[in-house]
Amino acid sequence: MAHLNRYWQAAAPVLPQLREPYARHAPSPWGWTADFEDFTALLSGWAETVGEAERRRWGLIGLPL
């Protein structure tokens, strides 16, 4: 899980560069995120979860929706 945390640390500073591609490709009325701010909030929330799990030495599990 440490590798996920390292990936986020590398990706977070360049996330603003995704604003234009997001606006071009991602928004949809039925999507998980309404706009780029929601998208970055979702990613940041997962990064926080991964970091806390790593700190506590817990695992993560992905469940299908």
Side-chain angles (χ1 to χ4, degrees):
M1 189 155 9
H3 65 283
L4 291 175
N5 199 25
R6 285 192 302 274
Y7 288 146
W8 173 252
Q9 296 304 317
V14 296
L15 204 54
Q17 296 174 14
L18 295 178
R19 181 177 293 279
E20 189 274 327
Y22 178 92
R24 197 167 4 114
H25 298 290
S28 70
W30 55 85
W32 283 27
T33 57
D35 55 26
F36 187 74
E37 285 69 29
D38 282 353
F39 170 68
T40 57
L42 176 67
L43 290 180
S44 297
W46 269 109
E48 185 178 329
T49 300
V50 168
E52 185 63 15
E54 180 183 8
R55 186 185 72 77
R56 294 179 184 218
R57 301 181 54 84
W58 289 358
L60 292 175
I61 186 170
L63 299 173
L65 297 176

